[in-house]
Amino acid sequence: MVAGFLALRLYSVLGKRTGHEQALPKPAEERVAMPPVTRTLDAAPEPRESLNRAIEPGAEAGLRSVIAADSSFDVNQFVEGAKSAYRMILEAFWKGDEETLAWLVDEEVRAAFLQSIAERKALGQTLDNRLVSIERATIAGASLEAKVARIAMRFDADVVAVTRDAEGAVVAGSMSDAITTHDVWTFARNLRSDDPNWKLVETDEA
């Protein structure tokens, strides 16, 4: 039942238009939440400049290929969904929630996450991290090859990062100071597949 819920949740927030999308509840400090809207690269009810703020130069051609191959794809809803997935994946990694990670990331990324989690457990350490805000989320690139769509998202975020030892004492970081992170995460989906979920396939620092 939990696995089914997670798959349904990811489907609801990444790149599909059903008219009933609702992203995961966000903490009060999230300053970038926007209501879901129906918008594609070529049909925007708001000025074109508004949509372009979410698309970096060089990504538009790839996005047009994705839209041509999947008419249900929506740019703005993908961006909003990617932000929700960013939060979900970070929180699962910080908590060591391997089951959630299995549904949100592909095997290679999951293996790297699990190795880091195992090393953390071996040291008796836990992460007391918190995503304070996502200051910027833009599509940095997009491509379509053999019906596999890949979209790279650039995230600028503020994170409180604290590492505690087995006794709960802080060994690194501070609860009072947030650090700014710059990440580029790539999500992918096989458009031939009946599985509607996008998964994280690559992570990098911007």
Side-chain angles (χ1 to χ4, degrees), residues 178-193:
I179 60 175
T180 300
T181 62
H182 307 282
D183 296 311
V184 175
W185 283 17
T186 301
F187 297 89
R189 176 176 174 255
N190 188 337
L191 302 183
R192 290 195 183 101
S193 173

Side-chain angles (χ1 to χ4, degrees), residues 184-205:
V184 175
W185 283 17
T186 301
F187 297 89
R189 176 176 174 255
N190 188 337
L191 302 183
R192 290 195 183 101
S193 173
D194 292 333
D195 184 355
N197 296 320
W198 292 77
K199 286 194 173 185
L200 178 66
V201 297
E202 186 178 339
T203 64
D204 200 358
E205 293 184 1

Side-chain angles (χ1 to χ4, degrees), residues 145-159:
E145 184 175 350
K147 288 296 183 180
V148 175
R150 293 170 61 94
I151 298 179
M153 287 291 305
R154 190 186 310 275
F155 297 102
D156 297 335
D158 292 332
V159 175

